[in-house]
Amino acid sequence: MTLNLIVDTILNRVLVGDDLSLEEGVVLLKQTDPEKVEKIRRVSDILRSQQAGETVTYVINRNINFTNICEQHCSFCAFRRDAAEEGAFGLEIHQILEKTADAVQRGATEICMQGGLNPAAKMNGKSLPYYLHLVQTIKTQFPHLHLHAFSPQEVQFIAREDQISYADVLMAFRDAGVGSMPGTAAEILDDSVRKIICPEKIKTATWLEIVTTAHRLGLPTTSTLLSGHIETPQQQMLHLQQLRSLQKKALEQNYLAKITEFIVLPFVGENAPTPLRRRVGRDQPILGDTLLLTAVARIFLGHYIPNHQPSWVKLGLDGATEALRWGCNDIGGTLMEEHITTMAGAKGGTCMEPETLQNAIASLGRPYQQRDTLYLPIQDRSKKDSSR
C-alpha cells in the first residue's frame, strides 16, 4: 500500500467516526508532502465543524502571575527567579485586587492565576492558607468572577509542603471558589523528555493523578501540550493518547467534571536558558509544524475534547487565526497581561482587545461568540451581534 493510500485510509476511517490509533497519528504527523498535509487540514476542519460548529468563541479574561519566585529550574523557562535575584517579584494582595478590579471593569469574566513555587509563600507556616487567602479575597469582592487557578504542579507543591493529600488541596480550592484548574505543567507527558526539560517537575503519573482527582471532585480542567523542542512525533502522540484516556475515564466514570479544551503551546526559546535553546536550535515556533500538530490533535482527540484553541501569544494573531482553519474552534482569551511566554521571547504580544479577536475571526467569514471559561455563551451587549 502506498503512503498516499495509507494517509487516505486513516483519514477516511476518522471521517466515519473511528478513533485514531497512536501509530496512525504518528503517520499523519510525519507527513511533509503539501498535498497530504492539506488533506489532513481539510479533515481536521470538517471534524471541527461537526464537533464544535462554525462559530468561533473567545473569552474576556486576565492572567495574573502572582510571583515568579520558584524553587524549580525548568530548562525552557525564562520567567522564574530565585528570591534574592534581580527581577524577582511577589504581588501583594492589594495589587492582585487592583488587577482584578481593572479586569472586571474591562468586561472580564475570568481570572487565570498561576505563579512560581515559592516555599516562603505561607501563612502560619502553611502553604494552603496562603493560596486560599488569594482565592477568598478575590471571591469576596468579585463573587461572580470565575477563577481558573493553580496548575497540577502547584497542587503537588502545596500538598508536599503541608503534608496533605492532593484531594485535600483540590477540595479546599473548590470550596473556596476556584472554578477550574489550568492543565499546565503537562509539557510532554513522557518522563524521558521531562527528565531533560523539567527534571524537578512532577512525573507524568502524578500529573494524571491530580487531574483525575480534580475531575472526580468536580473541578474542570484544561489540557496543553508543549511542542517543538526535543520531543518526537511518537512522544507527541503518546501525550495525546494519555489525554484522551483521561477524558474517556472522566466520561465513563461519570465524574462531575472533565477537560474543557486542548491547547498546543509551541516552544519559544529566544530568552530561554541557553542549553535547551542551543539543543533546539531556533528561537521561535515553526508555524507549519504547529498547524499540523493542531490538525492531528483535532483528529485524534475528536469528540472527546471538542474545544481546541491556539496560542496567539506564541504564534501571533495571524498564526492563531490560521489555526482556526486547522481544527481550532476557539481563539482564546484577551489575557490583558502575559509574562511567562513573553519573557521567553514570544512576539504575539500580551493583550488582545475583544474587537481585535472578533475582527480576526470575521476575516475568515465565520461568526464569533463571547463565552465563559466553561464554554457557555455570553451575550455581549456592548457589541453588535456578529451575525447581523
Side-chain angles (χ1 to χ4, degrees):
M1 184 180 291
T2 67
L3 187 56
N4 198 45
L5 284 175
I6 292 173
V7 171
D8 286 347
T9 300
I10 293 171
L11 295 177
N12 287 336
R13 283 207 317 104
V14 169
L15 286 171
V16 298
D18 291 345
D19 286 349
L20 202 68
S21 71
L22 184 152
E23 293 76 17
E24 289 170 327
V26 172
V27 169
L28 296 185
L29 282 179
K30 288 184 174 181
Q31 298 310 305
T32 57
D33 178 75
E35 183 180 337
K36 297 187 186 69
V37 170
E38 173 58 17
K39 286 182 178 180
I40 294 168
R41 185 204 68 77
R42 283 203 305 266
V43 168
S44 76
D45 201 43
I46 291 168
L47 293 178
R48 182 272 309 156
S49 180
Q50 292 174 349
Q51 295 161 2
E54 292 301 311
T55 300
V56 179
T57 51
Y58 66 94
V59 63
I60 302 180
N61 63 350
R62 181 176 200 138
N63 271 358
I64 299 180
N65 302 123
F66 56 90
T67 184
N68 65 348
I69 299 170
C70 188
E71 68 174 16
Q72 295 189 346
H73 304 79
C74 297
S75 66
F76 52 82
C77 185
F79 176 72
R80 56 100 37 222
R81 296 289 187 273
D82 292 323
E85 191 176 351
E86 183 179 355
F89 73 87
L91 297 180
E92 300 291 341
I93 193 67
H94 72 88
Q95 294 173 297
I96 293 173
L97 286 175
E98 286 171 3
K99 290 176 180 289
T100 304
D102 176 67
V104 171
Q105 181 68 27
R106 294 159 66 179
T109 61
E110 171 198 306
I111 292 293
C112 178
M113 192 159 60
Q114 299 178 88
L117 308 177
N118 182 6
K122 287 183 167 66
M123 293 180 67
N124 301 317
K126 297 288 186 179
S127 288
L128 183 57
Y130 170 82
Y131 284 81
L132 293 178
H133 178 62
L134 296 179
V135 173
Q136 290 162 345
T137 303
I138 292 174
K139 291 296 286 187
T140 296
Q141 292 204 23
F142 306 98
H144 301 300
L145 199 59
H146 185 104
L147 285 187
H148 181 58
F150 313 130
S151 71
Q153 181 64 68
E154 289 168 282
V155 171
Q156 187 272 344
F157 170 74
I158 295 165
R160 186 203 74 194
E161 288 290 295
D162 292 358
Q163 297 184 326
I164 56 180
S165 71
Y166 305 144
D168 287 337
V169 177
L170 290 164
M171 284 189 290
F173 282 167
R174 180 198 64 192
D175 295 345
V178 172
S180 56
M181 181 171 70
T184 48
E187 322 313 355
I188 286 286
L189 294 173
D190 183 301
D191 287 336
S192 65
V193 178
R194 298 176 80 80
K195 285 178 183 177
I196 297 169
I197 68 169
C198 53
E200 298 164 289
K201 264 200 168 100
I202 51 177
K203 294 186 183 304
T204 296
T206 303
W207 191 93
L208 294 169
E209 178 186 355
I210 291 171
V211 174
T212 298
T213 303
H215 293 163
R216 181 171 55 81
L217 295 173
L219 270 179
T221 72
T222 57
S223 59
T224 60
L225 186 161
L226 181 67
S227 67
H229 42 92
I230 64 169
E231 88 287 4
T232 65
Q234 179 82 16
Q235 289 163 331
Q236 290 175 340
M237 291 310 306
L238 176 62
H239 181 105
L240 293 176
Q241 184 181 59
Q242 296 195 86
L243 292 182
R244 190 171 73 180
S245 296
L246 194 68
Q247 187 79 327
K248 289 174 74 172
K249 182 175 183 179
L251 294 168
E252 291 166 358
Q253 298 293 324
N254 291 315
Y255 287 158
L256 296 171
K258 59 186 179 181
I259 296 170
T260 60
E261 69 187 15
F262 171 75
I263 311 167
V264 174
L265 301 174
F267 171 73
V268 177
E270 184 165 316
N271 298 321
T274 302
L276 184 61
R277 181 185 175 192
R278 285 179 175 167
R279 185 165 181 170
V280 174
R282 55 180 165 70
D283 292 339
Q284 296 296 324
I286 299 172
L287 179 60
D289 291 352
T290 304
L291 293 174
L292 180 58
L293 177 57
T294 297
V296 174
R298 164 64 71 181
I299 292 168
F300 186 85
L301 295 173
H303 60 275
Y304 298 107
I305 305 178
N307 297 309
H308 289 235
Q309 177 190 129
S311 171
W312 58 255
V313 175
K314 294 174 180 290
L315 294 177
L317 185 58
D318 287 346
T321 303
E322 177 63 16
L324 297 175
R325 301 178 61 248
W326 294 72
C328 287
N329 63 294
D330 184 86
I331 202 166
T334 55
L335 300 186
M336 299 189 190
E337 58 178 298
E338 197 290 324
H339 300 294
I340 295 175
T341 300
T342 302
M343 288 176 70
K347 307 300 185 186
T350 62
C351 177
M352 284 287 168
E353 295 300 325
E355 294 83 359
T356 306
L357 297 178
Q358 292 168 355
N359 289 337
I361 296 163
S363 72
L364 298 178
R366 287 166 63 186
Y368 52 77
Q369 172 67 57
Q370 184 185 345
R371 63 167 174 88
D372 68 10
T373 309
L374 303 181
Y375 281 80
L376 296 175
I378 292 176
Q379 183 60 46
D380 185 358
R381 297 180 183 87
S382 65
K383 305 292 184 294
K384 292 182 179 179
D385 187 340
S386 67
S387 64
R388 290 177 185 172

